[in-house]
Amino acid sequence: MAIPIQTEADLLSLGLALGASRVRGWSDAEQSLVRGLPMESPHVDAARRDIQQGRDPLGDIFCTLRTPVERRPQGATYTPPIIVEAMTRWADLPAGPSRIVDLGAGSGRFIVAAGQRFRDATLLAVELDPVAALLCRAHLAASGLAERAEVVVSDYRALKLPEIDGRTLFIGNPPYVRHHLLGDTWKQWLVRTAKQLRLEVSQLAGLHVHFFLATALHAKPGDYGTVITAAEWMDVNYGKLVRSLFLGPLGGRSIDVIEPAALPFSDAAATAAITCFVVGERPSRIQLRRIESLEDLDALQCGKSVRRERLENSPRWSPLTRATKRGPDGYVELGELCHVHRGQVTGANKIWIEGPHSEGLPESVLFHTVTKAKELFTAGRALSDPSSLRRVIDIPADLDCLDKPARLKVEKFLKTAAKMGADKGFIATHRKAWWSVGLKRPAPLLATYMARRPPAFVRNLASARHINIAHGIYPRQAMSEKALIVLAGSLARSTTVHQGRTYAGGLTKFEPKEMERLLVPGPELLEAGETDGTWENAGTPTAT
């Protein structure tokens, strides 16, 4: 039965009643929080019983009182017990730890689980939020671990770890905070610190990347660790620092990727990566695995073996976690048949999409355009009627090609656009002419590329243009209508979210080159209207 606590003050009183004050390291911030609060709670027996049975009632209550939106600025996402258990079990190596460091402790799920497994290790939990830190103390105390535990209210990056004899285990779930919420001071810290290790870095890196770097600084050869983070670092440019740390100073051994459908983070639909490493090692092969259900998460470091050199030479690691996909006979990669191009960036949709501000412009500079992914998702197999689409203003760079009446109307609009700041934006200042959006020619097929669902692939019978919310698919050689229909149907049927890159929040993205790697029927099968047997020739598609 859930413990009926409605306020953080009552939760803190419960923490005090469970013995939080017996754990070393109290901070001024925590003292201020509990000043005047009662040190007893009617729920103490129920909470202690739950904790001694392996549950985390304090963390569960905290996550109820603070919504995911409220916890997002500090990146506080709590890890399911089944994952905590798998990670602590992996850490039970022949030479166990003398010290355990939980690098983003929250309510203490990792530090308690590791403390109970490793009975001789000292325990150090690092947590920036004083409320969560106090709950962590209470969790440790109620678990019988107070005497060898300390909780430090600090930023993990600023932590000063004393030297010890023996190994340190680094374990936990680093907070996920996007770069734009990080201050310049810490971004400069990232640059300076990476430079010390002679590693490339991007200031677009999120907080979890900072924590990987801080761990490389805190650790010494022989130390080891296992952390769970969002998996996007495996593929994005700013993740290159983590990939370099994994193959270099951290001594990466394995990566287990958990699909979003398994809910590795209970309040965020995101792909997770469990990274295991032993500092100073340089294994010739790395274990990679992809997990679709948490029930399959038994032992870590038991995936397929991938040569180190392959990881070193791969800009994206997610594809290496998947079994090699072999298509039926006659199938090829989409890129052999078509180019995939992202749509044009306008730089300011409110200006370059037709509206009251553009009344009077000649029809020759107005183009029906797909400007929302929803327009493709709702189109069905084909986009046939352009009248439902908004029109984008695309003025030629050379105004002399317009006749006099049209040019006068355009020049009048350009004065209005300039007053709206259209000539000042980054995109506009990098165009040949600031007023010329430069829409690409209509693509025979259009596709969405970012959503929480597989892409939509739509036959563009309306000859609509597209901006950067969609990809255009352009055949390298002319295709018949029948072949285009079969191609669109095959793509729509066979493409899954697992083939793209999934970001925290559950968004899956397909870059143009990634979409070009999708398997599709080859030219002969397309013209014959044949695929793997599941396609039924539906004739000319119609809008739905």
Side-chain angles (χ1 to χ4, degrees):
M1 179 181 291
I3 297 175
I5 286 182
Q6 304 298 322
T7 68
E8 282 193 10
D10 288 344
L11 181 58
L12 292 172
S13 288
L14 175 57
L16 292 173
L18 287 168
S21 61
R22 292 192 284 115
V23 179
R24 290 177 294 120
W26 271 77
S27 65
D28 291 341
E30 291 168 287
Q31 295 283 6
S32 177
L33 277 175
V34 301
R35 190 170 293 120
L37 290 181
M39 296 186 65
E40 65 268 349
S41 168
H43 308 296
V44 64
D45 291 336
R48 181 175 284 110
R49 183 170 56 250
D50 277 358
I51 290 171
Q52 291 174 352
Q53 291 175 354
R55 291 190 284 271
D56 177 24
L58 303 179
D60 292 340
I61 296 168
F62 180 72
C63 291
T64 300
L65 296 179
R66 285 193 192 175
T67 67
V69 172
E70 291 172 321
R71 284 182 276 119
R72 190 170 298 146
Q74 288 192 321
T77 302
Y78 283 50
T79 310
I82 191 171
I83 295 178
V84 175
E85 165 61 21
M87 291 169 64
T88 53
R89 189 166 59 247
W90 173 86
D92 200 352
L93 300 182
S98 299
R99 174 175 60 191
I100 299 166
V101 175
D102 186 338
L103 39 76
S107 59
R109 292 182 181 182
F110 280 101
I111 198 69
V112 168
Q116 290 173 333
R117 181 173 287 270
F118 304 106
R119 298 290 182 177
D120 296 325
T122 60
L123 310 177
L124 177 62
V126 186
E127 173 56 49
L128 189 60
D129 181 353
V131 173
L134 188 144
L135 300 182
C136 181
R137 295 181 194 282
H139 195 174
L140 286 161
S143 300
L145 301 172
E147 297 305 316
R148 54 192 173 100
E150 180 180 1
V151 177
V152 176
V153 179
S154 171
D155 191 304
Y156 177 66
R157 294 166 291 186
L159 183 67
K160 303 297 183 183
L161 275 180
E163 291 284 340
I164 65 165
D165 293 328
R167 310 174 79 182
T168 296
L169 166 64
F170 296 88
I171 192 168
N173 178 355
Y176 182 90
V177 179
R178 292 190 180 277
H179 74 93
H180 55 271
L181 295 178
L182 304 179
D184 288 339
T185 299
W186 282 116
K187 288 188 176 185
Q188 292 304 316
W189 171 89
L190 182 73
V191 172
R192 289 195 312 272
T193 308
K195 189 175 181 180
Q196 291 174 18
L197 299 178
R198 299 182 179 179
L199 296 175
E200 295 182 30
V201 67
S202 166
Q203 292 192 49
L204 299 181
L207 184 56
H208 58 300
V209 174
H210 291 225
F211 272 49
F212 273 105
L213 183 58
T215 300
L217 287 182
H218 297 325
K220 68 179 190 302
D223 291 345
Y224 65 117
T226 174
V227 297
I228 181 170
T229 64
E232 62 190 53
W233 63 263
M234 298 176 67
D235 297 320
V236 296
N237 288 337
Y238 74 69
K240 184 177 181 180
L241 175 60
V242 181
R243 298 194 293 272
S244 298
L245 288 167
F246 180 87
L247 293 175
L250 288 180
R253 279 191 176 185
S254 67
I255 304 172
D256 288 78
V257 174
I258 307 175
E259 300 285 11
L263 292 178
F265 305 117
S266 58
D267 50 15
T271 307
I274 300 176
T275 306
C276 299
F277 55 89
V278 179
V279 177
E281 286 193 355
R282 188 177 175 83
S284 61
R285 304 188 76 89
I286 309 297
Q287 305 296 314
L288 301 180
R289 182 170 60 149
R290 183 167 288 269
I291 298 166
E292 296 186 0
S293 169
L294 294 185
E295 283 67 35
D296 299 330
L297 188 65
D298 40 28
L300 301 180
Q301 199 177 321
C302 61
K304 68 175 183 178
S305 179
V306 178
R307 288 182 296 106
R308 163 182 290 274
E309 291 78 14
R310 191 169 182 196
L311 289 168
E312 290 173 339
N313 295 320
S314 297
R316 295 186 57 233
W317 288 4
S318 285
L320 302 179
T321 66
R322 301 186 179 98
T324 303
K325 185 176 180 181
R326 299 177 65 89
D329 290 343
Y331 273 56
V332 298
E333 290 189 350
L334 176 62
E336 293 187 30
L337 305 180
C338 303
H339 296 284
V340 178
H341 293 291
R342 183 180 287 115
Q344 189 62 42
V345 178
T346 70
N349 283 358
K350 68 178 182 179
I351 296 172
W352 299 112
I353 292 178
E354 182 183 23
H357 65 288
S358 61
E359 288 183 6
L361 276 173
E363 293 290 313
S364 62
V365 300
L366 299 172
F367 298 87
H368 286 101
T369 303
V370 173
T371 58
K372 298 178 180 178
K374 182 180 179 181
E375 294 164 350
L376 294 180
F377 283 123
T378 59
R381 292 184 178 178
L383 181 64
S384 302
D385 182 7
S387 63
S388 63
L389 302 176
R390 297 187 292 177
R391 296 197 291 182
V392 169
I393 302 162
D394 194 12
I395 299 168
D398 182 4
L399 299 181
D400 289 337
C401 69
L402 301 171
D403 59 36
K404 186 174 181 179
R407 177 162 181 163
L408 290 174
K409 294 176 182 178
V410 166
E411 288 176 341
K412 179 181 177 182
F413 164 76
L414 292 181
K415 291 180 181 178
T416 299
K419 289 179 181 178
M420 297 172 69
D423 58 338
K424 303 292 194 305
F426 176 84
I427 299 298
T429 57
H430 286 76
R431 291 179 181 143
K432 181 178 179 181
W434 66 264
W435 59 78
S436 186
V437 170
L439 291 173
K440 293 179 173 65
R441 60 187 173 86
L445 299 178
L446 294 169
T448 59
Y449 71 89
M450 180 174 277
R452 291 180 174 84
R453 52 178 285 184
F457 295 91
V458 178
R459 174 73 175 99
N460 184 15
L461 297 175
S463 294
R465 311 297 176 98
H466 65 290
I467 60 173
N468 64 317
I469 55 84
H471 289 335
I473 301 175
Y474 298 87
R476 297 178 185 272
Q477 296 182 345
M479 283 187 184
S480 68
E481 183 62 29
K482 182 178 182 180
L484 288 169
I485 294 170
V486 176
L487 178 59
S490 178
L491 285 165
R493 212 174 42 253
S494 63
T495 306
T496 70
V497 292
H498 306 318
Q499 292 163 290
R501 57 178 74 176
T502 303
Y503 292 81
L507 283 174
T508 298
K509 182 179 182 181
F510 286 78
E511 295 290 356
K513 292 300 180 185
E514 293 165 354
M515 196 166 279
E516 288 183 2
R517 286 194 287 270
L518 297 175
L519 290 177
V520 297
E524 292 183 1
L525 293 178
L526 291 177
E527 293 298 338
E530 300 174 1
T531 60
D532 58 5
T534 58
W535 169 259
E536 296 179 4
N537 187 354
T540 302
T542 56
T544 58

